[in-house]
Amino acid sequence: MPLFPPLNPPVSGWSGQRVWILGASSGIGAETARLLGQRGARLALSARREAALADLRSGLPPAARQAAHVLPCDIADPAAVAAAARTLFEAWDGLDLVLVAAGVYDALRPQDLDAQTLPRVRHTLDTNLLGAYHVLAAVLPEFLRRGAGRLAFVSSVAGYNGLPRALAYAPSKAALNNLCEGLHLELRPLGIGVTRICPGFVATPMTAGLDVPMPALQTPAAAARAIVRGLEGGDFEIHFPRRFTYGLKVLQWLPRRLYFRLLRWAAPR
Ligand SMILES: NC(=O)c1ccc[n+]([C@@H]2O[C@H](COP(=O)([O-])OP(=O)(O)OC[C@H]3O[C@@H](n4cnc5c(N)ncnc54)[C@H](OP(=O)(O)O)[C@@H]3O)[C@@H](O)[C@H]2O)c1
């Protein structure tokens, strides 16, 4: 018997669960889709690259493959997200879980910032932060009507503290972390679950070209297992690997004087 009850309803089984994954064409989203497909969930797969989504579907077990929808859409386009959601609500008559894994990373530094590079900032915020609002606008009315549903957002430990080389990415994730807390406070009493997912480093196309140290780097399969386990347990925050993420949580409590000194020492110039 756990000391504290879970902050969201636990998921007792995935068979027949209707799950929409945005950002399913590669990395963490794709691997989580594979795992949920193996567990019997009905999947809707979204991202911009339709061919990659179709490849993913073709590799699913037969029952999951037949049930899966491929719904290409750009999360930065609210009309496209709303249209995909409408298609799903019609096809499935509801939705049990929306997992938003879509995201982009841009190693933006102060020296990069000028009028020409502002579109890079906008692209990161449109995808990582406004994209979440686009999904909320598309699914929340239906979730609220039914008093049920689960929202899960892949955010990042990069949202815990200010970071170098992430002047748009880290603030987008900090805002997403905050948004999830506000949503949980308001939606949980109305029957809707909210989960935020804060991975450490995961070996995906997003991190493939990074020339920074990546301590405790995980495989996408390990990330997917942690996400599915956390959703099953009803966690509010799923963070992994814990040996890395607990250290970063401690940094949140450090006086900034100490934090800045530590980061300048640890982070490459
Ligand atoms: N890898 C890490 O170390 C790490 C750590 C912490 C958090 N995260 C977060 O984890 C999430 C997944 O990243 P990943 O590491 O798995 O990287 P990834 O393999 O590059 O996956 C990113 C996914 O987002 C989709 N996407 C990007 N822009 C989109 C848009 N405008 N509309 C719809 N889909 C879009 C991509 O699909 P298309 O290109 O086909 O659209 C792809 O499916 C991101 O939110 C990332 O910030 C990653």
Side-chain angles (χ1 to χ4, degrees):
M1 184 88 173
L3 191 54
F4 298 109
L7 289 172
N8 290 298
V11 180
S12 52
W14 291 102
S15 181
Q17 289 281 303
R18 298 158 298 182
V19 181
W20 184 17
I21 303 182
L22 295 102
S25 59
S26 63
I28 296 170
E31 211 50 50
T32 308
R34 278 187 201 100
L35 187 52
L36 290 179
Q38 287 159 13
R39 303 259 174 108
R42 285 188 277 168
L43 298 171
L45 308 169
S46 290
R48 291 164 303 178
R49 286 171 294 156
E50 185 169 2
L53 297 173
D55 275 357
L56 171 60
R57 179 172 62 182
S58 65
L60 292 172
R65 185 168 62 236
Q66 274 158 23
H69 292 260
V70 167
L71 292 171
C73 78
D74 183 340
I75 200 170
D77 176 351
V81 176
R86 268 196 309 276
T87 304
L88 267 187
F89 283 125
E90 276 167 27
W92 280 347
D93 191 32
L95 199 54
D96 298 299
L97 166 67
V98 183
L99 173 65
V100 181
V104 288
Y105 171 73
D106 183 340
L108 196 77
R109 307 188 72 183
Q111 297 83 345
D112 301 321
L113 271 173
D114 59 28
Q116 271 69 51
T117 52
L118 278 180
R120 284 169 58 185
V121 177
R122 198 164 287 121
H123 178 62
T124 300
L125 296 178
D126 280 350
T127 310
N128 297 2
L129 181 57
L130 286 180
Y133 287 93
H134 300 159
V135 174
L136 288 170
V139 304
L140 261 184
E142 182 63 17
F143 279 14
L144 286 167
R145 202 180 56 74
R146 286 193 298 131
R150 179 83 170 261
L151 302 157
F153 296 94
V154 181
S155 184
S156 173
V157 294
Y160 290 171
N161 293 284
L163 290 173
R165 298 187 185 208
L167 286 184
Y169 181 77
S172 75
K173 296 297 188 178
L176 187 55
N177 284 347
N178 183 298
L179 173 64
C180 290
E181 290 188 8
L183 286 170
H184 191 276
L185 283 168
E186 299 225 48
L187 292 176
R188 189 64 204 94
L190 303 177
I192 298 163
V194 181
T195 296
R196 84 173 167 220
I197 299 161
C198 291
F201 290 108
V202 183
T204 67
M206 183 176 282
T207 51
L210 288 187
D211 63 343
V212 294
M214 289 190 267
L217 182 70
Q218 294 229 297
T219 62
R225 283 194 299 274
I227 290 169
V228 170
R229 202 167 41 239
L231 290 169
E232 287 170 348
D235 296 355
F236 166 69
E237 179 171 318
I238 301 171
H239 60 99
F240 55 85
R242 300 234 162 159
R243 65 187 184 283
F244 182 58
T245 52
Y246 275 130
L248 294 176
K249 283 177 177 293
V250 169
L251 294 183
Q252 285 184 286
W253 297 100
L254 278 188
R256 291 301 88 177
R257 177 181 299 279
L258 273 179
Y259 174 71
F260 292 147
R261 182 173 286 199
L262 194 67
L263 258 281
R264 287 203 181 98
W265 170 77
R269 300 276 172 273

PDB file of all heavy atoms in Angstrom, residues 16 19 71 74 76 78 88 93 104 106 111 194 202-203 253 260:
ATOM      1  N   GLY A  16      -6.924  -1.991 -25.890  1.00  0.00           N
ATOM      2  CA  GLY A  16      -8.076  -1.201 -26.344  1.00  0.00           C
ATOM      3  C   GLY A  16      -7.999   0.279 -26.002  1.00  0.00           C
ATOM      4  O   GLY A  16      -8.850   1.054 -26.444  1.00  0.00           O
ATOM      5  N   VAL A  19      -4.978   5.873 -27.868  1.00  0.00           N
ATOM      6  CA  VAL A  19      -3.836   6.739 -27.542  1.00  0.00           C
ATOM      7  C   VAL A  19      -3.396   7.514 -28.778  1.00  0.00           C
ATOM      8  O   VAL A  19      -3.078   6.917 -29.819  1.00  0.00           O
ATOM      9  CB  VAL A  19      -2.637   5.882 -27.032  1.00  0.00           C
ATOM     10  CG1 VAL A  19      -1.465   6.793 -26.670  1.00  0.00           C
ATOM     11  CG2 VAL A  19      -3.038   5.028 -25.836  1.00  0.00           C
ATOM     12  N   LEU A  71      -1.952  10.120 -38.875  1.00  0.00           N
ATOM     13  CA  LEU A  71      -2.557  11.448 -39.047  1.00  0.00           C
ATOM     14  C   LEU A  71      -1.460  12.501 -39.073  1.00  0.00           C
ATOM     15  O   LEU A  71      -1.178  13.135 -38.041  1.00  0.00           O
ATOM     16  CB  LEU A  71      -3.491  11.752 -37.867  1.00  0.00           C
ATOM     17  CG  LEU A  71      -4.767  10.934 -37.736  1.00  0.00           C
ATOM     18  CD1 LEU A  71      -5.441  11.233 -36.409  1.00  0.00           C
ATOM     19  CD2 LEU A  71      -5.693  11.259 -38.896  1.00  0.00           C
ATOM     20  N   ASP A  74       1.242  19.216 -38.411  1.00  0.00           N
ATOM     21  CA  ASP A  74       2.253  20.095 -37.821  1.00  0.00           C
ATOM     22  C   ASP A  74       1.663  20.647 -36.531  1.00  0.00           C
ATOM     23  O   ASP A  74       0.656  21.357 -36.562  1.00  0.00           O
ATOM     24  CB  ASP A  74       2.552  21.230 -38.818  1.00  0.00           C
ATOM     25  CG  ASP A  74       3.651  22.145 -38.323  1.00  0.00           C
ATOM     26  OD1 ASP A  74       3.932  22.166 -37.104  1.00  0.00           O
ATOM     27  OD2 ASP A  74       4.227  22.862 -39.172  1.00  0.00           O
ATOM     28  N   ALA A  76       2.541  22.951 -34.769  1.00  0.00           N
ATOM     29  CA  ALA A  76       2.578  24.420 -34.698  1.00  0.00           C
ATOM     30  C   ALA A  76       1.404  25.062 -35.438  1.00  0.00           C
ATOM     31  O   ALA A  76       1.254  26.282 -35.404  1.00  0.00           O
ATOM     32  CB  ALA A  76       3.903  24.927 -35.278  1.00  0.00           C
ATOM     33  N   PRO A  78      -2.481  25.268 -35.443  1.00  0.00           N
ATOM     34  CA  PRO A  78      -3.651  24.890 -34.635  1.00  0.00           C
ATOM     35  C   PRO A  78      -4.771  24.275 -35.461  1.00  0.00           C
ATOM     36  O   PRO A  78      -5.455  23.357 -34.985  1.00  0.00           O
ATOM     37  CB  PRO A  78      -4.093  26.211 -33.986  1.00  0.00           C
ATOM     38  CG  PRO A  78      -3.325  27.310 -34.645  1.00  0.00           C
ATOM     39  CD  PRO A  78      -2.158  26.712 -35.346  1.00  0.00           C
ATOM     40  N   LEU A  88     -10.086  11.874 -35.254  1.00  0.00           N
ATOM     41  CA  LEU A  88      -9.971  10.810 -34.253  1.00  0.00           C
ATOM     42  C   LEU A  88     -11.232  10.645 -33.431  1.00  0.00           C
ATOM     43  O   LEU A  88     -11.680   9.524 -33.172  1.00  0.00           O
ATOM     44  CB  LEU A  88      -8.833  11.152 -33.302  1.00  0.00           C
ATOM     45  CG  LEU A  88      -7.491  10.579 -33.683  1.00  0.00           C
ATOM     46  CD1 LEU A  88      -6.498  10.854 -32.586  1.00  0.00           C
ATOM     47  CD2 LEU A  88      -7.612   9.091 -33.951  1.00  0.00           C
ATOM     48  N   ASP A  93     -14.784   7.730 -31.319  1.00  0.00           N
ATOM     49  CA  ASP A  93     -15.795   8.148 -30.348  1.00  0.00           C
ATOM     50  C   ASP A  93     -15.168   8.440 -28.981  1.00  0.00           C
ATOM     51  O   ASP A  93     -15.710   8.103 -27.935  1.00  0.00           O
ATOM     52  CB  ASP A  93     -16.885   7.060 -30.214  1.00  0.00           C
ATOM     53  CG  ASP A  93     -18.080   7.569 -29.434  1.00  0.00           C
ATOM     54  OD1 ASP A  93     -18.365   8.772 -29.537  1.00  0.00           O
ATOM     55  OD2 ASP A  93     -18.700   6.787 -28.683  1.00  0.00           O
ATOM     56  N   VAL A 104      11.393  20.332 -30.693  1.00  0.00           N
ATOM     57  CA  VAL A 104      12.636  20.627 -31.416  1.00  0.00           C
ATOM     58  C   VAL A 104      13.633  21.255 -30.447  1.00  0.00           C
ATOM     59  O   VAL A 104      13.241  21.926 -29.493  1.00  0.00           O
ATOM     60  CB  VAL A 104      12.403  21.598 -32.607  1.00  0.00           C
ATOM     61  CG1 VAL A 104      11.667  20.898 -33.734  1.00  0.00           C
ATOM     62  CG2 VAL A 104      11.646  22.848 -32.176  1.00  0.00           C
ATOM     63  N   ASP A 106      17.150  23.675 -30.356  1.00  0.00           N
ATOM     64  CA  ASP A 106      18.003  24.597 -31.095  1.00  0.00           C
ATOM     65  C   ASP A 106      19.032  25.123 -30.089  1.00  0.00           C
ATOM     66  O   ASP A 106      18.653  25.686 -29.059  1.00  0.00           O
ATOM     67  CB  ASP A 106      17.133  25.745 -31.642  1.00  0.00           C
ATOM     68  CG  ASP A 106      17.911  26.727 -32.497  1.00  0.00           C
ATOM     69  OD1 ASP A 106      19.145  26.776 -32.386  1.00  0.00           O
ATOM     70  OD2 ASP A 106      17.271  27.454 -33.269  1.00  0.00           O
ATOM     71  N   GLN A 111      24.912  35.087 -28.656  1.00  0.00           N
ATOM     72  CA  GLN A 111      25.565  35.612 -29.864  1.00  0.00           C
ATOM     73  C   GLN A 111      24.742  35.345 -31.118  1.00  0.00           C
ATOM     74  O   GLN A 111      24.954  35.971 -32.159  1.00  0.00           O
ATOM     75  CB  GLN A 111      26.954  34.972 -30.044  1.00  0.00           C
ATOM     76  CG  GLN A 111      27.940  35.271 -28.937  1.00  0.00           C
ATOM     77  CD  GLN A 111      27.788  34.341 -27.718  1.00  0.00           C
ATOM     78  OE1 GLN A 111      26.792  33.663 -27.564  1.00  0.00           O
ATOM     79  NE2 GLN A 111      28.793  34.356 -26.859  1.00  0.00           N
ATOM     80  N   VAL A 194      -3.264  14.575 -15.724  1.00  0.00           N
ATOM     81  CA  VAL A 194      -2.204  15.350 -16.387  1.00  0.00           C
ATOM     82  C   VAL A 194      -0.852  14.822 -15.899  1.00  0.00           C
ATOM     83  O   VAL A 194      -0.628  14.705 -14.697  1.00  0.00           O
ATOM     84  CB  VAL A 194      -2.305  16.859 -16.061  1.00  0.00           C
ATOM     85  CG1 VAL A 194      -1.194  17.625 -16.785  1.00  0.00           C
ATOM     86  CG2 VAL A 194      -3.668  17.414 -16.440  1.00  0.00           C
ATOM     87  N   VAL A 202      18.539  11.351 -23.915  1.00  0.00           N
ATOM     88  CA  VAL A 202      18.112  10.117 -24.598  1.00  0.00           C
ATOM     89  C   VAL A 202      18.730  10.135 -25.996  1.00  0.00           C
ATOM     90  O   VAL A 202      18.739  11.189 -26.665  1.00  0.00           O
ATOM     91  CB  VAL A 202      16.564  10.056 -24.700  1.00  0.00           C
ATOM     92  CG1 VAL A 202      16.131   8.731 -25.333  1.00  0.00           C
ATOM     93  CG2 VAL A 202      15.907  10.227 -23.322  1.00  0.00           C
ATOM     94  N   ALA A 203      19.245   8.984 -26.424  1.00  0.00           N
ATOM     95  CA  ALA A 203      19.928   8.903 -27.729  1.00  0.00           C
ATOM     96  C   ALA A 203      18.897   8.840 -28.854  1.00  0.00           C
ATOM     97  O   ALA A 203      18.396   7.764 -29.199  1.00  0.00           O
ATOM     98  CB  ALA A 203      20.827   7.663 -27.766  1.00  0.00           C
ATOM     99  N   TRP A 253      17.346  23.953  -5.979  1.00  0.00           N
ATOM    100  CA  TRP A 253      17.277  24.546  -4.632  1.00  0.00           C
ATOM    101  C   TRP A 253      18.550  25.305  -4.274  1.00  0.00           C
ATOM    102  O   TRP A 253      18.589  25.980  -3.248  1.00  0.00           O
ATOM    103  CB  TRP A 253      17.017  23.442  -3.596  1.00  0.00           C
ATOM    104  CG  TRP A 253      15.698  22.789  -3.851  1.00  0.00           C
ATOM    105  CD1 TRP A 253      15.481  21.610  -4.489  1.00  0.00           C
ATOM    106  CD2 TRP A 253      14.410  23.316  -3.535  1.00  0.00           C
ATOM    107  NE1 TRP A 253      14.133  21.361  -4.591  1.00  0.00           N
ATOM    108  CE2 TRP A 253      13.451  22.391  -3.999  1.00  0.00           C
ATOM    109  CE3 TRP A 253      13.967  24.482  -2.903  1.00  0.00           C
ATOM    110  CZ2 TRP A 253      12.091  22.596  -3.857  1.00  0.00           C
ATOM    111  CZ3 TRP A 253      12.608  24.680  -2.755  1.00  0.00           C
ATOM    112  CH2 TRP A 253      11.685  23.755  -3.233  1.00  0.00           C
ATOM    113  N   PHE A 260      25.279  29.109 -10.658  1.00  0.00           N
ATOM    114  CA  PHE A 260      25.991  29.682 -11.806  1.00  0.00           C
ATOM    115  C   PHE A 260      27.457  29.248 -11.806  1.00  0.00           C
ATOM    116  O   PHE A 260      28.022  28.917 -12.846  1.00  0.00           O
ATOM    117  CB  PHE A 260      25.906  31.211 -11.787  1.00  0.00           C
ATOM    118  CG  PHE A 260      24.509  31.750 -12.032  1.00  0.00           C
ATOM    119  CD1 PHE A 260      24.089  32.930 -11.428  1.00  0.00           C
ATOM    120  CD2 PHE A 260      23.626  31.084 -12.866  1.00  0.00           C
ATOM    121  CE1 PHE A 260      22.817  33.427 -11.651  1.00  0.00           C
ATOM    122  CE2 PHE A 260      22.342  31.581 -13.096  1.00  0.00           C
ATOM    123  CZ  PHE A 260      21.932  32.748 -12.486  1.00  0.00           C
TER     124      PHE A 260
END
